[in-house]
Amino acid sequence: DGQMEISPDKPTEIEICSASVFYGKERILENLSLSIKEQRVGFIGRNGSGKTTLLRILAGLQELNNGKVLIDGTEVAKKRNEAIKKVGIIFQNPDHQIIFPTVGEELRFGLTQLGLSKNEADLKVIACLKQYDKVDWFERSISTLSQGQKHLVCLLSVLLMKPRVLLLDEPFTGIDIPTQLKLEHYLSSLKQTIIHVSHVPETFENYQRLIWMDEGIIQADGTPKTVIKKYRTAMKNYDEKTI
Ligand code: ADP
């Protein structure tokens, strides 16, 4: 029925246990518990509904006021060295993610963080660029890349580290449809678990599971078809209330 079929060696298990995040008095996530074994999972919700915060706790980048997050048993916020091997995050804006002036330096960085020498890292970077038919990008200045190309650099820099889980925060913002299709094509072939956050329902049509978040809690959790229907109805009602 159009769902993706990807067979991993062993499914990655993500456990969010009673997670709460507050900013001052504002509750962003409230006592959230979720168990995820599916390989393609979406989170949908309005702006400000806590989606980015959720990705940050999954990556171990955000302190929890309560609870914990485990990926294959590792508490990602506590064991940072293990966490960077388990989970990679791609932010909404590649300009906030990329730190080096050239593609080669950017892609090399994560690998040297994992302990590889510069030469070992460069061999992997070049092999990876070849795989995507972009070997001429090695010396390329980041500033000469389009937005979609920068997104691809972010994706490759994360994939090079071979994480078990890929976290995507609205990765299609500001890119045109052909570029989006190309990125979707790259993503669909990956064996990693993908947790993808967006406010665009169509993104998730072929996913195995979709979770709708609002005001820090889960409003619906199920197949994309049923969750999208509930979400659309609710969003329409918001419109009627606000205009
Ligand atoms: P989404 O990704 O769904 O748009 P976020 O997780 O980015 O939602 O934000 C949820 C809420 O938390 C928003 O109201 C936002 O203003 C607030 N928020 C996010 N980061 C911070 C922060 N560092 N300090 C205070 N409030 C924050």
Side-chain angles (χ1 to χ4, degrees):
D1 55 355
Q3 290 202 339
M4 293 178 191
E5 285 202 54
I6 303 119
S7 50
D9 330 324
K10 181 176 172 283
T12 302
E13 294 186 22
I14 300 173
E15 292 287 338
I16 303 175
C17 316
S18 310
S20 295
V21 175
F22 311 143
Y23 291 127
K25 277 190 181 166
E26 202 184 346
R27 285 152 194 254
I28 310 304
L29 296 178
E30 196 170 1
N31 201 22
L32 182 74
S33 289
L34 264 177
S35 178
I36 296 174
K37 292 199 182 81
E38 295 82 1
Q39 274 190 292
R40 293 291 184 269
V41 179
F43 281 87
I44 197 162
R46 292 181 297 154
N47 294 331
S49 56
K51 304 185 298 299
T52 298
T53 306
L54 179 90
L55 287 189
R56 291 176 53 84
I57 68 166
L58 286 170
L61 297 174
Q62 165 94 42
E63 214 174 306
L64 293 165
N65 295 79
N66 251 315
K68 60 183 174 182
V69 174
L70 305 172
I71 295 185
D72 280 340
T74 298
E75 191 170 353
V76 286
K78 300 254 161 80
K79 300 195 171 158
R80 294 302 304 148
N81 285 342
E82 281 184 49
I84 61 167
K85 294 176 199 160
K86 294 217 182 260
V87 53
I89 185 165
I90 298 177
F91 297 104
Q92 187 169 355
N93 186 344
D95 295 325
H96 295 165
Q97 184 145 8
I98 296 173
I99 37 188
F100 290 94
T102 67
V103 174
E105 288 167 289
E106 182 66 26
L107 296 182
R108 174 195 302 146
F109 178 67
L111 292 171
T112 55
Q113 289 290 98
L114 290 180
L116 270 67
S117 71
K118 185 169 168 279
N119 286 343
E120 288 167 334
D122 284 355
L123 287 176
K124 284 192 193 280
V125 168
I126 288 163
C128 170
L129 288 172
K130 267 199 187 130
Q131 206 184 322
Y132 287 82
D133 202 19
K134 300 282 187 273
V135 79
D136 57 310
W137 279 18
F138 190 83
E139 302 285 343
R140 187 96 172 251
S141 162
I142 297 281
S143 62
T144 66
L145 299 178
S146 72
Q147 205 66 0
Q149 290 170 331
K150 287 185 198 171
H151 274 282
L152 182 59
V153 169
C154 291
L155 176 64
L156 297 184
S157 74
V158 167
L159 290 179
L160 273 163
M161 298 174 76
K162 300 207 180 300
R164 303 271 296 163
V165 179
L166 205 57
L167 306 173
L168 309 175
D169 190 357
E170 306 265 13
F172 303 137
T173 308
I175 61 176
D176 60 25
I177 291 173
T179 314
Q180 173 169 339
L181 291 174
K182 193 118 193 230
L183 283 173
E184 275 176 356
H185 170 72
Y186 291 144
L187 291 172
S188 67
S189 64
L190 298 175
K191 292 204 168 187
Q192 271 90 355
T193 292
I194 295 183
I195 309 283
H196 186 158
V197 150
S198 174
H199 62 273
V200 183
E202 291 76 15
T203 311
F204 302 115
E205 274 163 3
N206 293 325
Y207 276 42
Q208 291 157 317
R209 182 175 176 189
L210 182 61
I211 297 161
W212 165 29
M213 304 272 306
D214 208 342
E215 301 189 346
I217 56 174
I218 294 168
Q219 306 288 333
D221 179 355
T223 63
K225 205 174 163 193
T226 52
V227 174
I228 288 170
K229 201 170 164 198
K230 289 180 190 170
Y231 175 73
R232 281 194 203 280
T233 308
M235 291 308 107
K236 195 164 158 265
N237 290 336
Y238 274 118
D239 246 17
E240 283 160 7
K241 273 183 229 160
T242 49
I243 292 173

